[in-house]
Short mmCIF file of all heavy atoms in Angstrom, two decimals:
data_model
loop_
_atom_site.label_atom_id
_atom_site.label_comp_id
_atom_site.label_asym_id
_atom_site.label_seq_id
_atom_site.Cartn_x
_atom_site.Cartn_y
_atom_site.Cartn_z
N ALA A 1 88.27 94.09 90.64
CA ALA A 1 87.87 94.65 91.94
C ALA A 1 89.04 95.39 92.58
O ALA A 1 88.88 96.51 93.09
CB ALA A 1 87.34 93.55 92.85
N HIS A 2 90.21 94.79 92.55
CA HIS A 2 91.40 95.39 93.16
C HIS A 2 91.73 96.75 92.53
O HIS A 2 91.95 97.73 93.23
CB HIS A 2 92.58 94.43 93.03
CG HIS A 2 93.89 94.97 93.51
ND1 HIS A 2 94.10 95.38 94.81
CD2 HIS A 2 95.05 95.18 92.86
CE1 HIS A 2 95.34 95.82 94.94
NE2 HIS A 2 95.94 95.71 93.77
N LEU A 3 91.71 96.81 91.21
CA LEU A 3 92.12 98.03 90.51
C LEU A 3 91.06 99.12 90.51
O LEU A 3 91.36 100.25 90.14
CB LEU A 3 92.53 97.68 89.08
CG LEU A 3 93.79 96.81 88.97
CD1 LEU A 3 94.01 96.38 87.52
CD2 LEU A 3 95.01 97.52 89.53
N THR A 4 89.85 98.80 90.93
CA THR A 4 88.80 99.82 91.01
C THR A 4 88.56 100.27 92.45
O THR A 4 87.54 100.88 92.75
CB THR A 4 87.49 99.32 90.37
OG1 THR A 4 87.08 98.10 90.98
CG2 THR A 4 87.66 99.15 88.87
N GLY A 5 89.54 99.99 93.31
CA GLY A 5 89.50 100.57 94.65
C GLY A 5 88.92 99.72 95.74
O GLY A 5 88.72 100.20 96.86
N TRP A 6 88.66 98.47 95.48
CA TRP A 6 88.15 97.57 96.51
C TRP A 6 89.31 96.83 97.16
O TRP A 6 90.25 96.44 96.49
CB TRP A 6 87.17 96.57 95.90
CG TRP A 6 85.89 97.20 95.45
CD1 TRP A 6 85.69 97.89 94.29
CD2 TRP A 6 84.66 97.22 96.16
NE1 TRP A 6 84.39 98.33 94.23
CE2 TRP A 6 83.74 97.92 95.36
CE3 TRP A 6 84.24 96.69 97.38
CZ2 TRP A 6 82.41 98.12 95.76
CZ3 TRP A 6 82.92 96.89 97.77
CH2 TRP A 6 82.03 97.60 96.97
N THR A 7 89.21 96.63 98.44
CA THR A 7 90.17 95.80 99.16
C THR A 7 89.70 94.36 99.04
O THR A 7 88.53 94.06 99.31
CB THR A 7 90.25 96.21 100.65
OG1 THR A 7 90.78 97.52 100.72
CG2 THR A 7 91.15 95.26 101.43
N LEU A 8 90.58 93.49 98.61
CA LEU A 8 90.24 92.07 98.51
C LEU A 8 90.54 91.43 99.85
O LEU A 8 91.58 91.68 100.46
CB LEU A 8 91.06 91.40 97.41
CG LEU A 8 90.90 92.02 96.02
CD1 LEU A 8 91.74 91.24 95.01
CD2 LEU A 8 89.45 92.06 95.59
N VAL A 9 89.62 90.59 100.30
CA VAL A 9 89.78 89.91 101.58
C VAL A 9 89.71 88.41 101.33
O VAL A 9 88.81 87.93 100.63
CB VAL A 9 88.68 90.34 102.58
CG1 VAL A 9 88.81 89.58 103.89
CG2 VAL A 9 88.72 91.84 102.81
N SER A 10 90.65 87.69 101.90
CA SER A 10 90.69 86.24 101.79
C SER A 10 90.86 85.66 103.19
O SER A 10 91.95 85.69 103.75
CB SER A 10 91.85 85.81 100.88
OG SER A 10 91.91 84.41 100.78
N LEU A 11 89.77 85.16 103.74
CA LEU A 11 89.80 84.58 105.08
C LEU A 11 90.27 83.14 105.00
O LEU A 11 90.34 82.55 103.92
CB LEU A 11 88.40 84.65 105.69
CG LEU A 11 87.77 86.05 105.78
CD1 LEU A 11 86.33 85.95 106.28
CD2 LEU A 11 88.59 86.95 106.68
N THR A 12 90.55 82.55 106.15
CA THR A 12 90.91 81.14 106.16
C THR A 12 89.68 80.31 105.82
O THR A 12 88.54 80.80 105.91
CB THR A 12 91.46 80.72 107.53
OG1 THR A 12 90.44 80.91 108.51
CG2 THR A 12 92.70 81.52 107.90
N GLU A 13 89.89 79.07 105.44
CA GLU A 13 88.79 78.23 104.99
C GLU A 13 87.68 78.07 106.02
O GLU A 13 86.53 77.88 105.67
CB GLU A 13 89.32 76.86 104.58
CG GLU A 13 90.11 76.90 103.30
CD GLU A 13 90.60 75.53 102.88
OE1 GLU A 13 90.02 74.52 103.31
OE2 GLU A 13 91.57 75.47 102.12
N ASP A 14 88.01 78.13 107.30
CA ASP A 14 86.99 77.94 108.33
C ASP A 14 86.35 79.25 108.78
O ASP A 14 85.50 79.26 109.66
CB ASP A 14 87.56 77.19 109.53
CG ASP A 14 88.75 77.91 110.17
OD1 ASP A 14 89.38 78.71 109.48
OD2 ASP A 14 89.02 77.65 111.35
N GLU A 15 86.70 80.37 108.15
CA GLU A 15 86.12 81.67 108.47
C GLU A 15 85.26 82.15 107.29
O GLU A 15 85.60 81.90 106.14
CB GLU A 15 87.20 82.73 108.70
CG GLU A 15 88.05 82.53 109.91
CD GLU A 15 89.08 83.64 110.01
OE1 GLU A 15 89.98 83.69 109.15
OE2 GLU A 15 88.95 84.45 110.94
N GLN A 16 84.18 82.82 107.62
CA GLN A 16 83.36 83.43 106.59
C GLN A 16 82.78 84.73 107.14
O GLN A 16 82.64 84.90 108.34
CB GLN A 16 82.21 82.50 106.17
CG GLN A 16 82.69 81.28 105.40
CD GLN A 16 81.53 80.51 104.82
OE1 GLN A 16 80.46 80.44 105.39
NE2 GLN A 16 81.75 79.93 103.64
N ALA A 17 82.44 85.63 106.24
CA ALA A 17 81.82 86.90 106.61
C ALA A 17 80.54 87.07 105.80
O ALA A 17 80.40 86.52 104.70
CB ALA A 17 82.77 88.05 106.31
N GLU A 18 79.62 87.84 106.34
CA GLU A 18 78.40 88.13 105.61
C GLU A 18 78.69 89.19 104.56
O GLU A 18 79.29 90.22 104.85
CB GLU A 18 77.31 88.62 106.57
CG GLU A 18 75.96 88.71 105.90
CD GLU A 18 74.85 88.97 106.88
OE1 GLU A 18 74.66 88.14 107.80
OE2 GLU A 18 74.18 90.01 106.73
N VAL A 19 78.32 88.89 103.33
CA VAL A 19 78.54 89.82 102.21
C VAL A 19 77.25 89.96 101.42
O VAL A 19 76.31 89.18 101.58
CB VAL A 19 79.68 89.32 101.28
CG1 VAL A 19 80.98 89.18 102.03
CG2 VAL A 19 79.32 88.03 100.61
N THR A 20 77.24 90.96 100.55
CA THR A 20 76.07 91.21 99.71
C THR A 20 76.35 90.72 98.30
O THR A 20 77.41 90.98 97.74
CB THR A 20 75.74 92.72 99.68
OG1 THR A 20 75.52 93.16 101.01
CG2 THR A 20 74.52 93.01 98.84
N GLY A 21 75.40 90.03 97.76
CA GLY A 21 75.44 89.59 96.37
C GLY A 21 74.31 90.26 95.61
O GLY A 21 73.43 90.89 96.21
N ALA A 22 74.32 90.15 94.30
CA ALA A 22 73.27 90.78 93.48
C ALA A 22 72.81 89.81 92.40
O ALA A 22 73.61 89.07 91.83
CB ALA A 22 73.79 92.06 92.85
N TYR A 23 71.53 89.85 92.14
CA TYR A 23 70.95 89.10 91.02
C TYR A 23 70.98 89.99 89.78
O TYR A 23 71.17 91.20 89.87
CB TYR A 23 69.49 88.72 91.33
CG TYR A 23 69.32 87.78 92.51
CD1 TYR A 23 68.74 88.23 93.69
CD2 TYR A 23 69.74 86.45 92.44
CE1 TYR A 23 68.57 87.38 94.77
CE2 TYR A 23 69.58 85.60 93.52
CZ TYR A 23 68.99 86.06 94.68
OH TYR A 23 68.83 85.22 95.75
N ASP A 24 70.75 89.39 88.61
CA ASP A 24 70.73 90.16 87.36
C ASP A 24 69.69 91.28 87.38
O ASP A 24 69.90 92.32 86.78
CB ASP A 24 70.44 89.24 86.16
CG ASP A 24 71.71 88.71 85.55
OD1 ASP A 24 72.78 89.32 85.72
OD2 ASP A 24 71.64 87.66 84.88
N ASN A 25 68.59 91.08 88.08
CA ASN A 25 67.54 92.11 88.09
C ASN A 25 67.85 93.25 89.06
O ASN A 25 67.06 94.17 89.21
CB ASN A 25 66.19 91.49 88.42
CG ASN A 25 66.13 90.94 89.84
OD1 ASN A 25 67.07 91.08 90.64
ND2 ASN A 25 65.02 90.29 90.16
N GLY A 26 69.01 93.18 89.75
CA GLY A 26 69.40 94.23 90.67
C GLY A 26 69.06 93.96 92.11
O GLY A 26 69.54 94.65 93.01
N ASP A 27 68.18 92.98 92.36
CA ASP A 27 67.87 92.63 93.74
C ASP A 27 69.12 92.11 94.42
O ASP A 27 69.96 91.45 93.80
CB ASP A 27 66.78 91.54 93.80
CG ASP A 27 65.41 92.07 93.40
OD1 ASP A 27 65.24 93.31 93.34
OD2 ASP A 27 64.52 91.24 93.13
N GLU A 28 69.25 92.41 95.69
CA GLU A 28 70.41 91.99 96.45
C GLU A 28 70.04 90.92 97.47
O GLU A 28 68.87 90.80 97.85
CB GLU A 28 71.04 93.19 97.16
CG GLU A 28 71.60 94.20 96.18
CD GLU A 28 72.30 95.36 96.86
OE1 GLU A 28 72.09 95.59 98.08
OE2 GLU A 28 73.08 96.04 96.18
N TYR A 29 71.03 90.17 97.90
CA TYR A 29 70.84 89.14 98.91
C TYR A 29 72.09 89.07 99.78
O TYR A 29 73.16 89.50 99.37
CB TYR A 29 70.57 87.78 98.25
CG TYR A 29 71.69 87.29 97.38
CD1 TYR A 29 72.69 86.46 97.90
CD2 TYR A 29 71.78 87.65 96.03
CE1 TYR A 29 73.75 86.01 97.09
CE2 TYR A 29 72.82 87.21 95.24
CZ TYR A 29 73.79 86.39 95.77
OH TYR A 29 74.84 85.95 94.98
N ASP A 30 71.93 88.56 100.97
CA ASP A 30 73.06 88.36 101.87
C ASP A 30 73.50 86.91 101.79
O ASP A 30 72.67 86.00 101.66
CB ASP A 30 72.68 88.70 103.31
CG ASP A 30 72.43 90.19 103.51
OD1 ASP A 30 73.07 90.98 102.80
OD2 ASP A 30 71.60 90.54 104.36
N THR A 31 74.80 86.70 101.85
CA THR A 31 75.36 85.36 101.81
C THR A 31 76.65 85.36 102.63
O THR A 31 77.10 86.40 103.08
CB THR A 31 75.62 84.90 100.36
OG1 THR A 31 75.97 83.52 100.35
CG2 THR A 31 76.71 85.73 99.68
N LEU A 32 77.22 84.20 102.81
CA LEU A 32 78.50 84.07 103.50
C LEU A 32 79.58 83.76 102.48
O LEU A 32 79.35 83.01 101.54
CB LEU A 32 78.44 82.97 104.55
CG LEU A 32 77.49 83.21 105.72
CD1 LEU A 32 77.43 81.97 106.62
CD2 LEU A 32 77.91 84.43 106.52
N ALA A 33 80.76 84.34 102.67
CA ALA A 33 81.88 84.10 101.76
C ALA A 33 83.19 84.21 102.53
O ALA A 33 83.28 84.95 103.51
CB ALA A 33 81.86 85.10 100.61
N ASP A 34 84.18 83.46 102.07
CA ASP A 34 85.50 83.58 102.68
C ASP A 34 86.43 84.44 101.84
O ASP A 34 87.51 84.80 102.26
CB ASP A 34 86.12 82.21 102.96
CG ASP A 34 86.26 81.34 101.72
OD1 ASP A 34 85.77 81.73 100.64
OD2 ASP A 34 86.86 80.26 101.83
N VAL A 35 86.00 84.80 100.63
CA VAL A 35 86.74 85.70 99.75
C VAL A 35 85.74 86.72 99.21
O VAL A 35 84.70 86.36 98.68
CB VAL A 35 87.40 84.93 98.57
CG1 VAL A 35 88.13 85.88 97.66
CG2 VAL A 35 88.32 83.84 99.09
N TYR A 36 86.07 88.00 99.38
CA TYR A 36 85.14 89.04 98.96
C TYR A 36 85.88 90.36 98.79
O TYR A 36 87.07 90.48 99.09
CB TYR A 36 84.00 89.20 99.98
CG TYR A 36 84.46 89.48 101.39
CD1 TYR A 36 84.62 90.78 101.86
CD2 TYR A 36 84.73 88.44 102.28
CE1 TYR A 36 85.05 91.04 103.15
CE2 TYR A 36 85.14 88.68 103.58
CZ TYR A 36 85.29 89.99 104.00
OH TYR A 36 85.72 90.25 105.29
N ALA A 37 85.16 91.36 98.30
CA ALA A 37 85.69 92.72 98.14
C ALA A 37 85.04 93.62 99.18
O ALA A 37 83.85 93.49 99.45
CB ALA A 37 85.40 93.23 96.73
N GLU A 38 85.84 94.55 99.71
CA GLU A 38 85.33 95.44 100.76
C GLU A 38 85.77 96.88 100.48
O GLU A 38 86.91 97.11 100.10
CB GLU A 38 85.87 94.98 102.11
CG GLU A 38 85.36 95.76 103.29
CD GLU A 38 85.81 95.14 104.60
OE1 GLU A 38 87.04 94.94 104.77
OE2 GLU A 38 84.95 94.86 105.43
N ARG A 39 84.84 97.81 100.67
CA ARG A 39 85.17 99.23 100.51
C ARG A 39 84.16 100.05 101.30
O ARG A 39 82.95 99.82 101.20
CB ARG A 39 85.14 99.63 99.03
CG ARG A 39 85.51 101.09 98.80
CD ARG A 39 85.71 101.41 97.35
NE ARG A 39 84.45 101.38 96.62
CZ ARG A 39 84.37 101.45 95.31
NH1 ARG A 39 85.46 101.51 94.57
NH2 ARG A 39 83.21 101.41 94.70
N ASP A 40 84.66 101.00 102.07
CA ASP A 40 83.81 101.89 102.85
C ASP A 40 82.81 101.12 103.71
O ASP A 40 81.63 101.49 103.81
CB ASP A 40 83.07 102.88 101.94
CG ASP A 40 84.03 103.74 101.13
OD1 ASP A 40 85.13 104.05 101.64
OD2 ASP A 40 83.68 104.10 99.98
N GLY A 41 83.25 100.02 104.30
CA GLY A 41 82.40 99.23 105.18
C GLY A 41 81.43 98.32 104.47
O GLY A 41 80.65 97.60 105.10
N GLU A 42 81.44 98.32 103.16
CA GLU A 42 80.55 97.48 102.36
C GLU A 42 81.30 96.24 101.91
O GLU A 42 82.43 96.32 101.44
CB GLU A 42 80.08 98.29 101.14
CG GLU A 42 79.12 97.60 100.25
CD GLU A 42 78.68 98.48 99.08
OE1 GLU A 42 79.22 99.59 98.90
OE2 GLU A 42 77.82 98.03 98.35
N ARG A 43 80.68 95.08 102.05
CA ARG A 43 81.27 93.81 101.61
C ARG A 43 80.43 93.25 100.47
O ARG A 43 79.23 93.08 100.60
CB ARG A 43 81.29 92.81 102.75
CG ARG A 43 82.18 93.20 103.89
CD ARG A 43 82.05 92.20 105.01
NE ARG A 43 82.96 92.53 106.08
CZ ARG A 43 82.89 91.99 107.29
NH1 ARG A 43 81.95 91.11 107.58
NH2 ARG A 43 83.75 92.33 108.22
N ARG A 44 81.10 92.96 99.35
CA ARG A 44 80.41 92.45 98.17
C ARG A 44 81.16 91.26 97.58
O ARG A 44 82.38 91.14 97.74
CB ARG A 44 80.32 93.54 97.11
CG ARG A 44 79.46 94.70 97.53
CD ARG A 44 78.62 95.18 96.37
NE ARG A 44 77.56 96.02 96.83
CZ ARG A 44 76.28 95.69 96.77
NH1 ARG A 44 75.90 94.55 96.26
NH2 ARG A 44 75.35 96.52 97.19
N LEU A 45 80.43 90.44 96.84
CA LEU A 45 81.06 89.35 96.10
C LEU A 45 81.95 89.95 95.02
O LEU A 45 81.57 90.92 94.34
CB LEU A 45 80.01 88.44 95.47
CG LEU A 45 79.13 87.67 96.46
CD1 LEU A 45 78.03 86.93 95.72
CD2 LEU A 45 79.97 86.69 97.27
N ILE A 46 83.13 89.41 94.85
CA ILE A 46 84.09 89.92 93.88
C ILE A 46 83.52 89.92 92.47
O ILE A 46 83.68 90.88 91.72
CB ILE A 46 85.42 89.13 93.96
CG1 ILE A 46 86.12 89.46 95.28
CG2 ILE A 46 86.32 89.43 92.77
CD1 ILE A 46 87.34 88.59 95.57
N GLY A 47 82.85 88.85 92.09
CA GLY A 47 82.29 88.77 90.75
C GLY A 47 81.27 89.85 90.47
O GLY A 47 81.19 90.38 89.35
N ASP A 48 80.47 90.22 91.47
CA ASP A 48 79.49 91.29 91.29
C ASP A 48 80.16 92.65 91.13
O ASP A 48 79.75 93.46 90.29
CB ASP A 48 78.54 91.34 92.49
CG ASP A 48 77.64 90.11 92.61
OD1 ASP A 48 77.65 89.26 91.69
OD2 ASP A 48 76.92 90.02 93.62
#
């Protein structure tokens, strides 16, 4: 994620942000995470 232009964000354990995750079929869902990737205002799970 870092090398493909995403900013990595690591919040403190008691902080979380709403991010987007994806299922294998391409459907997306919203979840909370304290570690995620962000680019152009978009927040995504690092693994995705």
Side-chain angles (χ1 to χ4, degrees):
H2 175 60
L3 295 173
T4 56
W6 291 80
T7 295
L8 302 181
V9 178
S10 179
L11 303 174
T12 62
E13 289 182 22
D14 59 338
E15 293 180 293
Q16 291 189 326
E18 190 170 300
V19 301
T20 302
Y23 296 110
D24 269 337
N25 66 4
D27 289 345
E28 295 184 342
Y29 61 92
D30 291 330
T31 189
L32 295 174
D34 58 353
V35 179
Y36 56 91
E38 183 173 54
R39 181 170 70 190
D40 301 328
E42 182 179 7
R43 294 176 177 167
R44 295 220 164 247
L45 295 173
I46 290 172
D48 293 354

